[in-house]
Amino acid sequence: MNWQVLSSQAEKKRFGLDPRTKLFLLITISILVVGGEVSGIMVVLKPLTALIPFALLLSIGKWRQAVSCTALFLILFLCELLILPAMGKSGFLLLFFCGLFGRLLPGVVMGYYTVSTTTVSEFIAAMERMHITQKLIIPLAVLFRFFPTVMEEYHNIGDAMRMRGIRIGGRKTSKILEYRLIPMMICSVKIGEELSAASLTRGLGAPIKRTNICRIGFHKFDVFMILYGAFMLGLKLLGSNGLL
């Protein structure tokens, strides 16, 4: 039975991406989707690049999130492409909304996929293979555990406050700031301190080299995604130089 469990886990992991590939895709999406105008070759490159994180959500079974994020991005992208040029200066608010959410959404989704599918051990192992300094690895490793822990604490505080009727639209709406946001801020500071102490206790920052039991490496899917991202970056570079 134990062998079957380990085998199924290894089979499931085979279709994942290496942490270094995820970081490369995150940087690529940030460069191609966040910056630049929607004109020329970017009219095609932006949606093709933005579909990467949405497809990766499908690969981990997040069907509803992937479909909703894809639909929202397409609506915002079409508004920025077709409606905003016709509105001129009067469409400032729509431009702000489309520019803020439409361009940041793919990067946020890719960041969510990276954090939710990468363990701290895998991330540290990948950073060490890239010969990144410990001064950068330790804060990033703490961040990898910080956001999931904060979200869990946020839901716990929300459940406790809803039991007391403190919610938007309830009888005690004015107390949301006092009873929800302030405890969240205090918990965030405390969680950061505890995670920093835990990382140092586990040997991060020690003068000797740490060992890892997790196995990482590039596979066929990693090579395909890296080549795909590099191809998109190459097309953007050619388009910026007027060659396309």
Side-chain angles (χ1 to χ4, degrees):
M1 179 63 68
N2 293 334
W3 179 86
Q4 293 177 352
V5 172
L6 293 176
S7 178
S8 62
Q9 291 176 351
E11 184 70 20
K12 182 179 179 181
K13 195 66 179 177
R14 185 183 304 172
F15 299 98
L17 290 174
D18 187 88
R20 291 163 290 183
T21 305
K22 299 173 187 177
L23 292 176
F24 172 75
L25 292 177
L26 182 60
I27 296 173
T28 301
I29 292 171
S30 301
I31 293 175
L32 295 179
V33 180
V34 175
E37 298 181 355
V38 185
S39 59
I41 190 64
M42 297 306 298
V43 176
V44 179
L45 289 184
K46 280 183 179 285
L48 288 179
T49 307
L51 289 178
I52 295 176
F54 305 144
L56 292 175
L57 280 185
L58 290 176
S59 67
I60 60 176
K62 302 289 185 179
W63 294 86
R64 185 172 61 182
Q65 293 87 336
V67 172
S68 59
C69 289
T70 304
L72 178 60
F73 173 78
L74 290 178
I75 292 173
L76 295 175
F77 180 76
L78 291 176
C79 287
E80 186 178 0
L81 180 64
L82 302 176
I83 299 178
L84 285 177
M87 296 183 64
K89 296 182 179 179
S90 60
F92 174 76
L93 291 178
L94 183 60
L95 174 62
F96 174 78
F97 185 80
C98 294
L100 179 63
F101 293 97
R103 298 193 179 199
L104 293 182
L105 180 62
V108 172
V109 173
M110 188 64 209
Y112 167 77
Y113 171 82
T114 302
V115 174
S116 61
T117 58
T118 306
T119 64
V120 178
S121 298
E122 292 174 342
F123 176 77
I124 294 176
M127 293 295 99
E128 289 178 347
R129 291 195 183 184
M130 295 172 63
H131 303 287
I132 304 296
T133 176
Q134 290 287 332
K135 296 179 181 179
L136 185 60
I137 294 178
I138 295 176
L140 292 177
V142 172
L143 281 178
F144 255 75
R145 291 303 310 151
F146 177 77
F147 290 110
T149 307
V150 167
M151 291 303 299
E152 182 179 355
E153 192 68 26
Y154 175 79
H155 291 304
N156 293 337
I157 294 175
D159 293 338
M161 293 302 102
R162 278 192 294 270
M163 293 176 60
R164 294 165 173 80
I166 302 175
R167 63 182 183 274
I168 297 178
R171 293 176 298 176
K172 302 178 181 179
T173 305
S174 60
K175 295 186 178 181
I176 289 181
L177 179 63
E178 180 180 358
Y179 290 101
R180 294 195 66 172
L181 295 184
I182 293 179
M184 192 69 247
M185 294 171 60
I186 296 175
C187 289
S188 299
V189 175
K190 185 177 180 180
I191 289 171
E193 294 176 351
E194 292 178 350
L195 289 176
S196 299
S199 63
L200 295 176
T201 303
R202 296 182 179 181
L204 287 179
I208 60 175
K209 185 178 180 180
R210 297 176 67 252
T211 58
N212 294 283
I213 61 174
C214 61
R215 299 178 61 184
I216 62 172
F218 294 108
H219 303 286
K220 294 180 179 179
F221 193 48
D222 291 278
V223 175
F224 171 77
M225 296 306 298
I226 291 174
L227 292 177
Y228 184 83
F231 179 70
M232 292 295 172
L233 290 174
L235 290 179
K236 175 180 172 55
L237 182 61
L238 293 176
S240 301
N241 294 329
L243 299 179
L244 287 178

